[in-house]
Amino acid sequence: NSNPSHGPFHQRAPSKILCRTVRGMVPHKTPRGAAALDRLKCFEGMPHPYDRKKRMVIPQALKVLRLRPERRFCKLGDLSHEFGWKHQD
């Protein structure tokens, strides 16, 4: 028997999904990892000071150059939409 209201709970917002993913990669139970997680900031969309800046393309970060053609990938917005996030941009 299982009761879905008892968990596991999945966050729907992309910023919460990213924070939880980074938390799994960081030793968050140590003081050093907890301090690193306190410095992490995640936003939906562009935060205020950066939304008026000119956007630049970084060629080293392009998906076409970084991923091999046979690798699978997903976008965080699509994943959160599958979880039920209703505020897709």
Side-chain angles (χ1 to χ4, degrees):
N1 296 342
S2 65
N3 188 352
S5 66
H6 286 189
F9 302 109
H10 302 291
Q11 298 291 333
R12 293 187 168 104
S15 63
K16 300 286 186 183
I17 293 174
L18 183 67
C19 287
R20 183 71 180 196
T21 305
V22 172
R23 181 178 173 259
M25 301 178 191
V26 173
H28 62 93
K29 294 183 179 180
T30 64
R32 183 175 65 110
L37 277 182
D38 288 339
R39 290 191 301 268
L40 178 68
K41 293 181 183 178
C42 298
F43 301 96
E44 271 104 27
M46 286 272 211
H48 171 63
Y50 304 109
D51 56 354
R52 293 191 171 92
K53 301 267 185 184
K54 185 175 186 291
R55 297 184 189 157
M56 301 169 61
V57 175
I58 301 170
Q60 293 89 0
L62 287 176
K63 182 185 72 174
V64 181
L65 299 176
R66 299 303 296 175
L67 284 181
R68 296 196 340 224
E70 69 271 7
R71 292 293 182 191
R72 301 179 75 176
F73 69 94
C74 70
K75 296 180 182 173
L76 190 55
D78 296 340
L79 186 65
S80 59
H81 183 71
E82 291 287 325
F83 275 127
W85 192 56
K86 296 179 175 66
H87 309 285
Q88 191 164 8
D89 295 334

